[in-house]
């Protein structure tokens, strides 16, 4: 049985006409799979490779270059919370903010909470320096994060 | 400068400034339709060339000149890649444009494609910009529905498709050949040049890579003309034949220790002091210790260098790499430059793609040494070693393929040259920075 649902396969297929070759669909395919499965298992790498006429090693090579994608032993939680630690944020307390999130969620950067709701990560600049310190929740910015706002965010994500 | 009227940001603040209807009510797409009807592609290239527009992505290369590097009478396809992988720390000007006025950017994409005879643009956008992505996709959908994209646009015979392509969190994708490799589904490993992308780029075809703010400038130049553009900014220094001038408006991002961080549109050539004033001054009543003039890779200005004009030539005159993205980060006098330098080294060590040994190893060693300094374990010889590593990993000796190593080295060289006493004192006294073990994970 295929690990990729028909729906996922169709979504990946729909990208193919956009590019002169199928390999260019690698990143869109990896995004689609990770969004749906919260990781890219080996079997999915094989199936993506088959769809794109590539060797699994080619897909795996690309996938592992971008620290963004995760294997199945390191699956993402329901929400991915990135705390920016780059200079603009760091100058306004990002180190302490990241520490606060670690303390409250009982995880180190890179880990997922026991209930599977939140994966905490540090980010290099997320490009919202006017609202430093800032975080990214999946792909949405939240600006000017104080410890109080951080606690509210956690409560929101735990309910979601 | 106080009476300057913003053009690139003129529509920001209007309700639903990102929708097609409002954009067209403000004259949007008239420049594109006029060019389609009345101008030949090479006339558009000439206009941009004669405007003196230099790329806003960091390197400042003349945009029109880049377009002329495409092979003449190439049978195609020719591609435009939009570089929306803005990931230079402290930089967010492109995000503002994409979130709040995506059509201004897309009109620039369409004008550029017409000029370079490209019928397909790949818009490479960093994954972190989710709102930008959704606003751009909605704007592109509006354009197809309005018959402004697709086949035979408005009966002109010109075809154009624009596809968004999302990155996956890697700084090196902002390097133009790294971007192309990533678009092609591979590791974002920059390519050895030549051949330059204009000759052999995406999918081995001639390709132009342009930055988002650059393309917004293209829209405004085609709408308002060369004279408008050249009336803003700084003319070339007649004594310097290599100075191409710094014409036009620029989006300056101000972040760090100021009261009101934000993004301002001003003529090229304003000073850090003016920008700090606009941003409400230094926070907590403190003084400036240093300013990053244009994204982390440019190095530092000291408190005595805040009157340096922020044009393409200014920061270089005081030992910085250049203007870069014109993102100003203010560092107050209570901040340790060791912490600042450790943070910059941490970034480059994390983001080096690992392809070239001097960069992979050099950024790693600079991080290790600054980490040592930060823990109060610095050695007397560390500063000289840091400078030596920083000097040797850059592109100047041609030892690495892209500019990342040079960008990693510049802040190190600058910090130690301009703030050496602080570093020496810290080594002598064994002073530790405020350390939080959890956040140290890297």
């Amino acid at each position: 049985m295929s690990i990729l649902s028909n729906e996922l396969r169709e979504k990946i297929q729909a990208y193919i006409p956009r590019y002169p070759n199928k390999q260019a669909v690698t990143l869109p395919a990896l995004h689609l799979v990770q969004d749906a499965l919260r990781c890219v298992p080996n079997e999915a790498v094989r199936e993506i490779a088959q769809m794109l006429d590539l060797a699994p090693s080619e897909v795996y090579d690309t996938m592992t270059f971008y620290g963004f994608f995760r294997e199945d032993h390191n699956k993402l939680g329901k929400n991915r919370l990135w705390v920016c630690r780059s200079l603009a944020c760091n100058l306004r307390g990002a180190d302490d903010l990241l520490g606060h999130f670690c303390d409250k969620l009982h995880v180190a950067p890179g880990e997922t909470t026991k209930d599977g709701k939140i994966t905490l990560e540090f980010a290099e600049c997320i490009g919202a320096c006017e609202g430093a310190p800032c975080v990214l929740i999946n792909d949405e910015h939240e600006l000017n994060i104080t410890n109080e706002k951080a606690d509210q965010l956690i409560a929101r994500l735990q309910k979601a | 400068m106080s009476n300057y009227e913003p053009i690139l940001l003129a529509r920001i603040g209007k309700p639903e400034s990102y929708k097609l209807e409002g954009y067209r009510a403000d004259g949007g797409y008239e420049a594109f339709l006029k060019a389609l009807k009345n101008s030949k592609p090479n006339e558009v290239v000439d206009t941009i060339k004669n405007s003196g527009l230099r790329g806003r992505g960091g390197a400042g290369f003349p945009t029109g000149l880049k377009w002329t590097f495409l092979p003449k009478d190439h049978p195609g396809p020719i591609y435009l890649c939009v570089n929306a992988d803005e990931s230079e720390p402290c930089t967010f000007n492109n995000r503002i444009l994409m979130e709040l006025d995506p059509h201004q950017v897309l009109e620039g994409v369409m004008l550029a494609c017409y000029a370079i005879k490209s019928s397909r643009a790949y818009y490479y956008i960093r994954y972190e910009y989710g709102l930008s992505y959704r606003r751009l996709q909605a704007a592109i959908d509006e354009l197809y529905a309005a018959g402004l994209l697709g086949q035979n646009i408005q009966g002109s015979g010109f075809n154009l498709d624009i596809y968004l392509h999302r990155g996956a969190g890697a700084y090196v994708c902002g390097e133009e050949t790294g971007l192309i490799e990533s678009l092609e589904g591979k590791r974002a490993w920059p390519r050895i040049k030549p051949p330059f992308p204009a000759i052999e780029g995406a999918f081995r075809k001639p390709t132009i890579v342009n930055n988002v703010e650059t393309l917004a400038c293209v829209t405004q130049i085609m709408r308002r003309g060369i004279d408008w553009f050249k009336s803003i900014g700084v003319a070339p220094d007649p004594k310097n034949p290599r100075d191409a001038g710094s014409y036009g408006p620029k989006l300056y991002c101000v972040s760090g220790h100021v009261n009101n961080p934000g993004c301002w549109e001003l003529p090229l050539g304003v000073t850090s002091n003016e920008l700090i004033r606009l941003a409400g001054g230094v926070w907590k009543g403190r003084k400036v210790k240093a300013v990053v003039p244009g994204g982390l890779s440019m190095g530092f200005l000291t408190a005595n260098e805040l009157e340096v004009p922020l044009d393409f030539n200014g920061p270089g005159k005081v030992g910085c790499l250049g203007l870069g993205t014109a993102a100003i980060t203010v560092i107050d006098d209570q901040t340790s430059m060791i912490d600042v330098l450790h943070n910059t080294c941490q970034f480059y060590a994390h983001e080096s793609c690992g392809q070239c040994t001097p960069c992979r190893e050099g950024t790693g060693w600079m991080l290790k040494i600054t980490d040592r300094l930060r823990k109060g374990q610095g050695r007397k010889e560390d500063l000289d070693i840091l400078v030596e590593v920083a000097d040797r990993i850059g592109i100047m000796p041609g030892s690495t393929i892209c500019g990342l190593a040079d960008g990693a080295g510049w802040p190190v060289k600058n910090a130690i040259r301009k703030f050496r006493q602080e570093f020496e004192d810290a080594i002598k006294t064994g002073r530790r920075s405020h350390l939080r073990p959890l956040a140290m994970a890297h």
Side-chain angles (χ1 to χ4, degrees):
Chain A
M1 219 189 79
S2 160
I3 196 168
L4 303 183
S5 64
N6 284 340
E7 192 195 348
L8 260 178
R9 287 178 165 268
E10 278 164 27
K11 281 185 184 167
I12 294 170
Q13 289 285 357
Y15 273 89
I16 292 176
R18 293 180 168 204
Y19 305 93
N21 67 37
K22 288 184 178 178
Q23 186 168 16
V25 180
T26 305
L27 277 191
L30 290 169
H31 278 306
L32 285 166
V33 171
Q34 181 156 291
D35 281 351
L37 307 179
R38 308 311 289 159
C39 63
V40 188
N42 282 342
E43 187 47 37
V45 170
R46 267 195 287 276
E47 290 179 23
I48 291 169
Q50 207 173 23
M51 290 181 76
L52 303 182
D53 297 334
L54 298 168
S57 59
E58 289 174 290
V59 175
Y60 190 70
D61 181 68
T62 300
M63 169 185 157
T64 49
F65 176 83
Y66 304 91
F68 187 85
F69 299 109
R70 295 207 168 200
E71 299 180 61
D72 51 2
H73 60 82
N74 198 16
K75 203 171 162 175
L76 285 174
K78 193 168 180 205
N79 289 288
R80 199 172 195 176
L81 172 62
W82 303 85
V83 181
C84 184
R85 67 171 190 183
S86 194
L87 186 63
C89 284
N90 199 270
L91 291 171
R92 298 178 79 111
D95 262 7
D96 286 337
L97 180 66
L98 183 57
H100 181 78
F101 274 111
C102 291
D103 292 348
K104 289 281 163 160
L105 296 171
H106 306 291
V107 292
E111 295 176 352
T112 302
T113 52
K114 276 202 183 116
D115 61 3
K117 292 278 176 70
I118 303 169
T119 300
L120 179 69
E121 305 203 34
F122 64 75
E124 300 303 343
C125 191
I126 58 174
C129 323
E130 81 274 38
C134 56
V135 302
L136 196 68
I137 297 169
N138 301 314
D139 67 1
E140 285 180 37
H141 291 109
E142 293 276 346
L143 308 184
N144 301 309
I145 307 297
T146 55
N147 284 358
E148 293 71 43
K149 267 195 184 176
D151 295 344
Q152 290 162 14
L153 262 175
I154 290 171
R156 196 180 93 201
L157 294 178
Q158 280 170 338
K159 266 187 229 147
Chain B
M1 304 293 178
S2 55
N3 55 3
Y4 175 77
E5 279 282 326
I7 299 296
L8 299 172
L9 297 184
R11 301 187 63 257
I12 309 296
K14 290 194 174 190
E16 299 194 312
S17 58
Y18 47 90
K19 291 264 180 83
L20 177 60
E21 197 186 346
Y23 185 67
R24 292 199 84 167
D26 291 334
Y29 293 109
E30 281 170 18
F32 171 67
L33 292 171
K34 204 171 135 198
L36 213 54
K37 207 168 155 206
N38 302 332
S39 307
K40 292 201 174 70
N42 66 324
E43 291 169 347
V44 179
V45 175
D46 286 343
T47 303
I48 298 305
K49 205 171 147 189
N50 295 332
S51 74
L53 171 63
R54 294 172 67 175
R56 271 32 179 173
F61 193 83
T63 304
L65 185 63
K66 193 191 242 186
W67 292 359
T68 66
F69 293 162
L70 289 164
K72 300 273 170 285
D73 303 319
H74 191 276
I78 291 168
Y79 297 116
L80 178 79
C81 287
V82 182
N83 189 344
D85 195 69
E86 174 175 76
S87 312
E88 174 81 358
C90 312
T91 307
F92 53 95
N93 47 342
N94 289 344
R95 195 191 95 240
I96 305 277
L97 287 172
M98 294 190 286
E99 283 181 358
L100 297 170
D101 201 359
H103 281 290
Q104 180 184 204
V105 179
L106 290 171
E107 187 172 5
V109 174
M110 290 152 73
L111 282 160
C113 284
Y114 181 68
I116 65 170
K117 299 181 190 167
S118 168
S119 60
R120 190 175 289 189
Y122 290 110
Y123 197 115
Y124 190 105
I125 181 167
R126 68 182 304 205
Y127 184 84
E128 292 86 340
Y129 283 4
L131 181 60
S132 296
Y133 171 78
R134 286 181 273 281
R135 291 257 164 96
L136 280 161
Q137 189 58 59
I140 290 169
D141 293 345
E142 284 180 312
L143 287 171
Y144 276 108
L148 287 163
L149 280 178
Q151 298 297 299
N152 190 21
I153 297 167
Q154 307 282 307
S156 64
F158 178 61
N159 310 324
L160 179 60
D161 288 304
I162 303 176
Y163 295 121
L164 296 183
H165 188 98
R166 297 186 87 172
Y171 173 64
V172 76
C173 293
E175 197 278 344
E176 59 178 4
T177 60
L179 183 151
I180 288 169
E181 287 283 312
S182 177
L183 171 69
E184 291 182 359
K186 296 178 271 182
R187 297 172 175 219
W189 272 5
R191 292 178 183 169
I192 293 172
K193 291 161 279 237
F196 288 91
I199 305 299
E200 192 183 297
F203 309 105
R204 303 287 160 189
K205 299 291 180 193
T207 300
I208 293 294
V209 184
N210 283 147
N211 160 269
V212 169
E213 187 186 333
T214 309
L215 290 162
C217 288
V218 167
T219 300
Q220 298 303 340
I221 292 165
M222 292 309 293
R223 186 184 290 185
R224 292 160 198 276
I226 293 172
D227 292 342
W228 162 75
F229 196 71
K230 287 199 145 173
S231 71
I232 302 163
V234 185
D237 175 1
K239 287 183 214 137
N240 178 1
R242 293 177 66 192
D243 180 3
S246 301
Y247 291 116
K250 181 76 194 81
L251 301 186
Y252 290 91
C253 309
V254 188
S255 65
H257 293 153
V258 289
N259 283 314
N260 303 308
C263 178
W264 284 270
E265 177 184 343
L266 287 164
L268 274 164
V270 295
T271 65
S272 306
N273 272 334
E274 287 174 88
L275 291 163
I276 293 168
R277 265 197 301 278
L278 277 175
V282 184
W283 75 346
K284 302 181 183 176
R286 293 178 186 168
K287 292 194 168 62
V288 177
K289 180 188 255 185
V291 162
V292 177
L296 206 51
S297 57
M298 294 298 122
F300 302 97
L301 301 172
T302 65
N304 296 325
E305 294 166 345
L306 304 182
E307 282 298 312
V308 168
L310 298 171
D311 57 37
F312 285 106
N313 298 316
K317 289 179 185 161
V318 290
C320 292
L321 180 51
L323 177 68
T325 56
I328 309 302
T329 306
V330 178
I331 299 164
D332 75 19
D333 58 355
Q334 305 291 304
T335 305
S336 155
M337 284 308 283
I338 296 168
D339 284 351
V340 170
L341 193 60
H342 173 261
N343 184 271
T344 76
C345 290
Q346 182 173 257
F347 175 81
Y348 291 105
H350 191 267
E351 295 301 317
S352 171
C353 81
Q355 185 178 198
C356 308
T357 308
C359 177
R360 180 183 66 244
E361 294 287 317
T363 53
W365 277 106
M366 294 195 302
L367 174 59
K368 278 182 190 153
I369 296 171
T370 50
D371 201 30
R372 193 151 80 204
L373 295 175
R374 203 169 171 239
K375 287 176 179 153
Q377 297 160 355
R379 305 167 192 167
K380 212 168 56 197
E381 62 273 23
D382 277 346
L383 301 184
D384 291 336
I385 297 172
L386 271 176
V387 173
E388 190 182 340
V389 174
D391 266 336
R392 284 173 181 238
I393 67 169
I395 51 170
M396 296 314 282
S399 58
T400 54
I401 294 170
C402 86
L404 194 147
D406 209 25
W410 226 265
V412 172
K413 287 185 261 187
N414 255 225
I416 293 175
R417 194 170 72 239
K418 295 184 177 181
F419 301 93
R420 191 168 184 115
Q421 195 61 50
E422 185 182 337
F423 282 83
E424 282 180 355
D425 289 349
I427 291 171
K428 225 176 277 170
T429 57
R431 197 169 59 230
R432 295 165 68 94
S433 291
H434 162 71
L435 295 175
R436 218 194 131 100
L438 273 175
M440 291 293 291
H442 47 244

